Amino acid sequence: MNNINLKIHSSAKIYGSSTIGDNSVVLENVILGYPEHKILSRIVEGDAPIEDSDFQGCEIGPNSFIRPNTTIFNNVRTGSNFKTGHNCMIRENTTIGNNVLIGTNVIIDGDVTIGNNVSIQGNVYIPTHVTIEDNVFIGPCAVLANDKYPIRKEYKPEGPLIRKGASIGANATILPGVEIGEGAFIAGGALVTREVPPWKLAIGCPAKIEELPEELRSLNRI
């Protein structure tokens, strides 16, 4: 790859036309550029092994640090200073900005857009069709949903929209199509079923909207 100060563990697997930015570290058993289902099906039907197959891989920005057992699919693009915890999975058609942390055991199921300066803590689940803007914090074990009627009726997946500077507490659940306003604060364990206006507090199950204390009216320091 002719990259500067690039460190890739011998156990890592890199598929397709994947690229890794300068000064990056890729640790044990990481998989980069893994083919999405339609590409994998085509490969399996042929004779060539995955390692020799030509398809669009992923693009990892410079100064990244990818911890063991992370899997990043094809057509994922990250900015600079990207970091992962252990065992996270980022599926195809995901775009990630600069200075983003994807924590241990996080699942991002693809077709997701994440802005700059975002921190996603361990065991978070993010489904398809989600947008997360800049300076967002998502606490451990939070769950976002994108299907109002799971396997019961036809529904076009629509994930939540998380606006700039919002904070989502641990174990919170955000239902499909819900918009979390700029600077809003979602309390731990909240079940958010409707829009949260900018700079408001959502607390409870189901969540009620309350005034955000004055001392919390500032953007996240990420």
Side-chain angles (χ1 to χ4, degrees), residues 7-14 25-32 65-72 84-88:
K7 297 179 180 178
I8 302 177
H9 193 272
S10 60
S11 62
K13 298 281 189 180
I14 301 175
V25 176
V26 179
L27 294 175
E28 295 94 332
N29 300 310
V30 167
I31 299 174
L32 298 180
F65 197 99
I66 303 179
R67 287 182 170 83
N69 300 302
T70 291
T71 297
I72 299 177
T84 76
H86 294 68
N87 309 313
C88 71

Side-chain angles (χ1 to χ4, degrees), residues 97-132:
N98 300 319
N99 305 311
V100 173
L101 168 67
I102 307 296
T104 293
N105 296 326
V106 169
I107 296 175
I108 298 175
D109 248 345
D111 294 289
V112 169
T113 300
I114 299 173
N116 302 312
N117 306 312
V118 172
S119 180
I120 300 175
Q121 301 295 297
N123 297 299
V124 168
Y125 175 71
I126 298 174
T128 61
H129 304 93
V130 168
T131 297
I132 299 169

Side-chain angles (χ1 to χ4, degrees), residues 178-216:
V178 170
E179 179 173 338
I180 307 300
E182 178 178 344
F185 199 103
I186 311 302
L191 172 61
V192 184
T193 62
R194 57 192 176 99
E195 177 182 354
V196 180
W199 301 104
K200 297 292 184 179
L201 169 66
I203 185 169
C205 183
K208 297 180 179 179
I209 308 301
E210 299 184 1
E211 292 299 319
L212 187 65
E214 189 63 36
E215 64 267 24
L216 297 180

